[in-house]
Amino acid sequence: MENDSDKQLIEGEIADYLLTDDGILISYSKSILRTVENIAANVALVKKITANKKVPLLIYLKNSPVPDKETRKFSTEQLPQIYTAMAMVSKRGLAQLIMKILFKFQTPPIPIKLFTDDEKAREWLRQFL
């Protein structure tokens, strides 16, 4: 990471965050069940971190329980409210599984791409700054 090492990690219930100097929000996902309530609280946290500005998100995925249909729908609706694009970094297979679950019957509401290399993910996200 360039110049971001001195920044404080902002802790949330479903993920911890770091806003980089270049304006990319990094999310360290936690292995907990997502609910409408904790997603709503997370959206509020992200808006606070970004001063209500939509930003590109670099998310480090973790295995977590599959949320119910209502939570998946709510989560999908919230994405374009807070992010310009999302790069998912994970071990092979995990991100693909999450994409299948979340976007089985519809296309993602923002540009989303899967990566195993975080530098490539950052490069891709820079176009959405």
Side-chain angles (χ1 to χ4, degrees):
M1 279 195 240
E2 63 262 355
N3 297 359
D4 303 318
S5 54
D6 58 338
K7 294 201 174 209
Q8 278 298 111
L9 206 59
I10 299 152
E11 293 191 22
E13 186 181 351
I14 65 172
D16 294 334
Y17 293 95
L18 185 75
L19 187 59
T20 67
D21 292 334
D22 59 3
I24 293 172
L25 186 64
I26 299 176
S27 170
Y28 300 94
S29 186
K30 295 181 180 178
S31 298
I32 72 161
L33 178 65
R34 270 67 174 161
T35 63
V36 169
E37 292 75 25
N38 64 21
I39 295 277
N42 194 69
V43 167
L45 176 64
V46 167
K47 285 181 174 184
K48 190 174 160 191
I49 294 167
T50 64
N52 257 343
K53 182 177 182 278
K54 288 192 215 179
V55 296
L57 178 72
L58 173 62
I59 182 167
Y60 290 95
L61 294 173
K62 279 243 176 85
N63 279 322
S64 57
V66 176
D68 63 27
K69 186 178 180 182
E70 183 187 357
T71 302
R72 293 192 308 265
K73 181 179 184 291
F74 180 74
S75 178
T76 301
E77 289 166 354
Q78 296 308 303
L79 292 176
Q81 309 300 315
I82 52 178
Y83 304 125
T84 56
M86 183 189 303
M88 293 192 241
V89 179
S90 73
K91 295 187 208 76
R92 297 205 183 281
L94 177 60
Q96 288 87 336
L97 176 68
I98 289 169
M99 289 290 285
K100 280 182 190 144
I101 291 166
L102 277 180
F103 305 113
K104 192 174 182 179
F105 302 111
Q106 66 191 57
T107 53
I110 58 172
I112 295 179
K113 199 165 175 185
L114 316 174
F115 295 89
T116 52
D117 177 306
D118 57 357
E119 268 314 305
K120 287 186 176 139
R122 275 182 180 240
E123 263 175 52
W124 179 77
L125 283 173
R126 285 192 184 102
Q127 69 185 300
F128 300 102
L129 284 168

